[in-house]
Amino acid sequence: MRQWVWVFIFLVLGGFSLAQDRTQVLVYGGDWTDLITLDPQVVYEFSGVMIADNLYETLVRFEGSDLATLRPGLAESWKVERGTTDWILTFKLRRGSRFSTGREVTAKDVVFSFERALALKGPGSFLFTDIAQLKPGATKALDPYTVEVRIPKSASPQSFLSILTFTIGGVVDSEEVQKNAKGGDLGKDWLTNNSAGSGPYRLVRWDRGNQVILEANPHARIKPKVPRVVLRYIQEPAVLRTALESGEIDIAEGLTPEGLKAIAANPRFKVVRAETLRLQYLGMNMKAGSPFANAKLREAMRYAVNQDELLQGLLQGNAVKTQTLIPKGLLGHNPTTPYKYDPNRARKLLAEAGYLQGLEFELLVSTGICGGGVPCPDVAAKLQADMAKAGFRARIRAIANAEVLATYRAQNHQVVLAGWSPDFPDPDGNATPWADYGARSLAWRNSYNDEVAAKLARQAALETDPQKRQALYKVLTEKVLREGPYVVLYQPAQPIGLSAKVEGFLKNPMMSAPLWQVSKQP
Amino acid sequence: MAAYLVRRLFLVLFVGVGITFVTFFIAQVVPTDPAVAALGENAREEQIREFRERYGLDRPLLVQYGIYLRRLLALDLGRSLRTGRPVAEDLKEFFPATLELSLAAFLVAVALGLPAGVWAALRQNRSPDLLVRLFALLLGSTPVFFLAILLLDVLHRQLGLLPGPGRLDPYLIPPPRVTGLVTLDALLAKDLAAFRDALHHLLLPAFVLGSASAALLARMTRAAMLEVLSQDYVRTAWAKGLAERQVVLRHALKNAALPILTLLGGLLGGLLSGAVLTETIFSWPGLGRYVTQSATSLDFPAVMGVTLLVGVVYSLLNLLVDLLYALLDPRIRYA
């Protein structure tokens, strides 16, 4: 008996042993709990998109943080032609791209993947069906290395190309997926926890709530610098920091502003700021009978927000100052920031609008976390304090995020503190929802029904000349800035803590992180 | 005995249905639409409508409940609104982590609490007793998150004695998943390094989770032992000149065992229902984290699945405790 106790004690306490060379494994800690699938045609969550992006290749792609220049992916070249009724996009595939199974990527895999996206109707499928208006049968393999896609003239080929950089356009190994399909599910169940792509990595294992393990795809065209990536689920920020400091993880996403400050001050670590395309904004409901139907009142509100203090104080600089509806990083971003905090001017405008005693209104906020990692009620409290000096008495109503959304969708708010990220990296991902009442998105929720703005958004979406497009967006953004129902508060950046040994890590504004470019020093 | 067992098992079934009824209707009181919660800020009206139809959320409540019960008869717990996977699959994935941690924590609680309680009772009002009572008070009243973060910071980050969060060193190749208990899977794969590492990773969370139970158990054991130690038959045993070991283990502890056993059953049940804070801090992929996440995203089928599982586990543990009573105390018979 006693010997067994000693054996046990030895087993438990006897030294550590490490199986792998530490520079050959990259450990990335963060809260990946939103991860529900890794199927490229279904995935639509931040962490899922980030991971799937490393497993699958798309026909075209963006590189780094540049979301304005399309680059070759699986397609080495492409052209857009104006047909009689359709836009015709022709893609020439490069030869020799291989899936993790060793099979070559051909046009039939592209056709299969696009048709699969349409058939599965995943949460991102509207990008294909609504934005690009892609129909089943519209994607054809002209030969093993040529794909033709036709979309109606009413859709924007620029937006479609941008959508194709997104995971929904990820190309899967059609043979492998069909082999694993059951009951007509097109392999959806199987692809949830398995991969069949030509990206630099393949999925080895996903233990839900615990870890996701990727390994270099032996047949990939792009060879990753670190052959194994482990994504560790760590939800608690204090623990995340402990794990980074102890060397257990190399990259920590989701640190608190204080944690980041401490990390930045330590030479063993560094902080990378990933810009996002998210906008945190106030939405004022303009429906008939609402005080915010009055343009003067909306203007007063723009002078009642102290953007600079919000950015420097609460957000500790983890955000970009912007006031227009297209975020920085996309074509058409308008850097103008004409509104400064001016309580006196706000009061004057309020008086002109007939509110001599100021105005009391309800400010609807989520109890959750806002962009930049700050609790939404804290943002609301700061706004409330600044607005009070300008004659606006905000009554904060903090409720669960889902309930905020339900109220907002039902147009039952007065003013809401909300966030928006475009569904695809194209200015139209913001312009149409924000400016076109008919799209039944943000403009509709805030009862902003302006035919000129809607027309401008539609015209800009279809414009193929980047310069003309830019000019159209300038007009649109100025107009909505002055007249619309929004006060854009900030564009959050996402700070990520790294070990100083890690080189080449980047997270782009669409939240994709090309992990294959990352290297690790001993 | 057999009739008794059948009756009790039938009762478990009844409790299960009761749990589904209560959870289902409480879930309906929440004023928010789960479809909106699941689809987020960019969702379109058609998507929301389609989601409601797909999960039957557009049907009358009683019909929804009826469908749920009918599926339950076929042991189908429905699909999670958040992950889209069968809830049973999710439970299969998350429960083993909780099971592993709870058993380890239970072991810690028994290994610390029981001897400490006995020792304190034997040395009543002397320094060992005071020491045990002090520690029991301290451990029992220290918030779990505080203890967890403190121990992680000192033992892991500063001293490097014990590993950090998670179930296994990320630099190790994890053993193939068979049971879902990493320690057991490592043994099955004959991977000693992984087994040792998994045990290392268990130590801190098991201690943190088990310490409060150990404190409770120590106090309970002490009280039960004190009562028994003052009985005539114990005095007689001492008088007969029996060794301390025999008096304590055979005469006293065995007779003090009933209340301790009841407590142990409850403790294990509580541990098995998942410990949100410990699991969150140690990044332990267990039921506690799964259910909090499901609850915050209004994923009712998942919440009901967990509640049902925990309810059934509790009922079965209670049954087990009752059966053990009969084993320990020959006066107790079930018919």
Side-chain angles (χ1 to χ4, degrees):
Chain A
M1 174 69 191
R2 202 150 281 186
Q3 297 93 307
W4 285 108
V5 171
W6 283 114
V7 169
F8 182 78
I9 289 174
F10 170 74
L11 279 179
V12 175
L13 299 176
F16 296 85
S17 66
L18 292 179
Q20 296 175 73
D21 177 359
R22 289 196 158 243
T23 60
Q24 299 301 296
V25 184
L26 183 72
V27 190
Y28 190 171
D31 182 1
W32 316 122
T33 40
D34 64 331
L35 188 58
I36 53 179
T37 175
L38 286 167
D39 182 334
Q41 270 83 49
V42 184
V43 66
Y44 203 61
E45 297 69 42
F46 283 115
S47 47
V49 167
M50 181 191 83
I51 298 168
D53 207 43
N54 285 279
L55 306 173
Y56 297 92
E57 284 186 288
T58 47
L59 292 178
V60 287
R61 61 193 195 92
F62 289 121
E63 204 164 272
S65 297
D66 176 9
L67 299 182
T69 323
L70 281 169
R71 291 169 205 267
L74 283 171
E76 57 186 7
S77 66
W78 62 94
K79 59 174 194 260
V80 181
E81 289 163 298
R82 201 185 283 264
T84 44
T85 53
D86 293 329
W87 294 103
I88 305 165
L89 294 96
T90 316
F91 299 89
K92 278 273 173 213
L93 301 188
R94 70 172 89 220
R95 287 159 199 251
S97 304
R98 289 189 185 278
F99 291 114
S100 51
T101 49
R103 289 189 197 99
E104 192 178 19
V105 182
T106 60
K108 77 170 179 2
D109 298 302
V110 179
V111 176
F112 176 79
S113 305
F114 286 13
E115 295 295 336
R116 190 173 178 270
L118 294 175
L120 287 179
K121 295 194 178 126
S125 63
F126 73 94
L127 295 172
F128 271 14
T129 55
D130 297 19
I131 312 282
Q133 300 169 35
L134 183 67
K135 302 274 180 309
T139 311
K140 290 200 178 78
L142 299 185
D143 65 56
Y145 300 102
T146 314
V147 181
E148 182 197 272
V149 189
R150 287 172 181 257
I151 56 171
K153 276 276 179 60
S154 49
S156 153
Q158 296 313 310
S159 297
F160 182 54
L161 285 169
S162 297
I163 288 169
L164 285 186
T165 66
F166 194 61
T167 42
I168 192 163
V171 177
V172 301
D173 181 339
S174 57
E175 275 184 50
E176 191 66 13
V177 172
Q178 276 164 320
K179 212 168 72 190
N180 289 290
K182 45 174 198 254
D185 78 340
L186 292 168
K188 185 178 162 195
D189 254 15
W190 186 75
L191 272 186
T192 301
N193 342 304
N194 292 281
S195 70
S198 59
Y201 289 102
R202 66 189 180 90
L203 176 66
V204 187
R205 190 173 166 139
W206 171 17
D207 300 314
R208 285 173 175 71
N210 186 15
Q211 61 189 356
V212 182
I213 303 179
L214 314 180
E215 242 171 40
N217 167 3
H219 304 285
R221 200 162 32 88
I222 306 167
K223 301 278 176 234
K225 290 185 175 152
V226 178
R228 193 177 169 90
V229 174
V230 179
L231 291 116
R232 280 314 264 283
Y233 285 70
I234 302 179
Q235 265 181 302
E236 169 56 43
V239 178
L240 196 63
R241 184 177 156 193
T242 300
L244 180 67
E245 288 177 336
S246 72
E248 181 117 349
I249 60 175
D250 303 309
I251 306 174
E253 181 173 324
L255 294 165
T256 57
E258 301 86 74
L260 282 159
K261 226 182 208 170
I263 292 287
N266 187 333
R268 285 172 51 223
F269 306 102
K270 55 189 173 186
V271 174
V272 165
R273 279 197 171 72
E275 282 177 10
T276 69
L277 294 182
R278 194 169 177 78
L279 291 179
Q280 200 71 49
Y281 67 95
L282 291 177
M284 299 174 274
N285 195 341
M286 291 168 61
K287 75 178 166 193
S290 155
F292 296 99
N294 186 328
K296 282 232 159 83
L297 212 72
R298 296 199 299 279
E299 173 119 17
M301 187 67 108
R302 295 186 230 281
Y303 284 110
V305 168
N306 194 340
Q307 210 182 9
D308 292 321
E309 274 190 18
L310 187 63
L311 260 79
Q312 289 319 313
L314 214 48
L315 286 149
Q316 306 218 0
N318 289 322
V320 176
K321 180 174 172 174
T322 179
Q323 294 183 347
T324 47
L325 67 88
I326 296 173
K328 186 175 166 218
L330 289 181
L331 179 134
H333 166 67
N334 183 344
T336 183
T337 51
Y339 293 99
K340 304 251 172 325
Y341 183 53
D342 191 342
N344 292 329
R345 187 146 180 197
R347 275 184 185 282
K348 214 177 122 216
L349 283 163
L350 264 171
E352 282 172 25
Y355 293 91
L356 291 164
Q357 305 304 316
L359 170 75
E360 184 172 329
F361 67 95
E362 184 181 271
L363 175 58
L364 191 64
V365 297
S366 157
T367 47
I369 304 291
C370 270
V374 182
C376 293
D378 290 4
V379 176
K382 170 68 184 148
L383 293 172
Q384 184 187 43
D386 294 333
M387 284 175 181
K389 291 176 204 146
F392 284 101
R393 293 183 299 279
R395 257 182 296 113
I396 296 175
R397 186 165 154 233
I399 49 179
N401 193 42
E403 214 179 324
V404 171
L405 286 177
T407 312
Y408 191 16
R409 286 175 167 285
Q411 299 176 310
N412 280 335
H413 64 295
Q414 272 194 300
V415 179
V416 65
L417 171 63
W420 177 266
S421 303
D423 286 305
F424 53 105
D426 186 88
D428 190 44
N430 273 39
T432 292
W434 287 56
D436 187 351
Y437 182 82
R440 283 182 75 91
S441 188
L442 300 193
W444 181 83
R445 290 180 207 168
N446 289 297
S447 314
Y448 175 49
N449 191 355
D450 186 319
E451 198 33 55
V452 180
K455 219 167 156 183
L456 270 168
R458 267 175 253 147
Q459 203 183 338
L462 295 176
E463 180 56 61
T464 47
D465 177 356
Q467 261 158 6
K468 285 188 197 155
R469 209 172 174 219
Q470 175 109 27
L472 285 169
Y473 281 128
K474 186 161 188 333
V475 181
L476 177 68
T477 49
E478 296 273 351
K479 180 179 169 61
V480 178
L481 170 66
R482 309 263 171 207
E483 302 167 6
Y486 317 104
V487 183
V488 173
L489 299 173
Y490 58 89
Q491 183 177 344
Q494 189 190 26
I496 297 171
L498 306 178
S499 153
K501 292 176 188 162
V502 173
E503 298 285 344
F505 176 81
L506 168 127
K507 199 158 188 184
N508 87 1
M510 282 310 279
M511 295 290 108
S512 81
L515 298 174
W516 64 89
Q517 297 175 355
V518 179
S519 63
K520 203 175 150 189
Q521 308 310 315
Chain B
M1 184 71 177
Y4 173 77
L5 255 182
V6 170
R7 210 166 56 232
R8 285 292 299 264
L9 287 175
F10 181 75
L11 218 65
V12 172
L13 205 73
F14 189 72
V15 167
V17 174
I19 287 172
T20 61
F21 184 81
V22 173
T23 332
F24 187 88
F25 287 95
I26 283 181
Q28 310 307 324
V29 180
V30 181
T32 309
D33 185 346
V36 175
L39 295 173
E41 67 197 11
N42 294 22
R44 287 139 191 258
E45 300 297 327
E46 313 87 72
Q47 283 179 303
I48 292 182
R49 204 169 39 238
E50 201 192 312
F51 186 90
R52 285 201 193 111
E53 278 165 22
R54 185 166 1 128
Y55 287 97
L57 299 171
D58 51 344
R59 299 189 159 175
L61 272 191
L62 277 176
V63 176
Q64 284 185 46
Y65 184 62
I67 293 174
Y68 185 83
L69 279 189
R70 207 177 56 215
R71 285 210 191 118
L72 199 59
L73 280 181
L75 293 179
D76 175 1
L77 294 169
R79 271 180 187 267
S80 152
L81 302 182
R82 190 174 67 84
T83 66
R85 287 215 309 169
V87 171
E89 294 271 311
D90 278 347
L91 293 184
K92 234 191 279 169
E93 181 129 14
F94 285 90
F95 187 60
T98 288
L99 184 67
E100 189 171 43
L101 179 58
S102 326
L103 290 180
F106 187 68
L107 216 67
V108 168
V110 173
L112 292 181
L114 208 62
V118 173
W119 192 43
L122 290 174
R123 310 275 185 278
Q124 194 191 1
N125 291 334
R126 277 181 284 160
S127 44
D129 183 27
L130 293 177
L131 207 68
V132 167
R133 277 157 67 190
L134 181 73
F135 267 95
L137 190 71
L138 269 179
L139 283 182
S141 54
T142 310
V144 167
F145 64 88
F146 174 73
L147 187 65
I149 290 185
L150 182 80
L151 290 180
L152 255 183
D153 192 67
V154 175
L155 295 177
H156 168 62
R157 191 178 67 97
Q158 295 189 22
L159 302 177
L161 285 177
L162 285 172
R167 299 176 78 184
L168 202 64
D169 189 311
Y171 293 91
L172 281 175
I173 310 264
R177 191 185 167 97
V178 183
T179 60
L181 283 80
V182 179
T183 43
L184 200 57
D185 285 349
L187 282 182
L188 288 175
K190 301 199 178 70
D191 184 346
L192 220 60
F195 173 70
R196 201 160 54 195
D197 189 73
L199 274 185
H200 271 129
H201 272 88
L202 256 176
L203 281 179
L204 264 190
F207 176 76
V208 167
L209 188 59
S211 60
S213 305
L216 199 63
L217 187 62
R219 282 157 63 175
M220 188 72 168
T221 308
R222 177 180 172 275
M225 282 294 284
L226 280 180
E227 201 182 316
V228 175
L229 285 173
S230 62
Q231 300 284 327
D232 291 345
Y233 61 86
V234 175
R235 203 176 312 131
T236 313
W238 285 122
K240 279 199 302 188
L242 289 182
E244 184 178 31
R245 196 187 159 96
Q246 273 193 317
V247 178
V248 173
L249 292 183
R250 277 191 49 192
H251 295 268
L253 190 58
K254 196 171 172 198
N255 283 297
L258 289 193
I260 297 175
L261 191 66
T262 315
L263 180 70
L264 285 179
L267 284 181
L268 186 59
L271 290 173
L272 282 173
S273 56
V276 183
L277 289 173
T278 314
E279 286 179 2
T280 305
I281 291 171
F282 288 99
S283 306
W284 204 268
L287 273 192
R289 258 168 79 197
Y290 177 69
V291 76
T292 17
Q293 215 180 344
S294 306
T296 46
S297 49
L298 305 182
D299 185 353
F300 299 130
V303 174
M304 283 172 70
V306 175
T307 321
L308 194 61
L309 175 71
V310 169
V312 170
V313 166
Y314 251 106
S315 309
L316 291 179
L317 275 175
N318 267 334
L319 177 59
L320 185 72
V321 167
D322 287 351
L323 294 179
L324 285 176
Y325 277 170
L327 219 67
L328 283 172
D329 188 343
R331 286 169 302 181
I332 298 174
R333 290 214 193 289
Y334 296 116

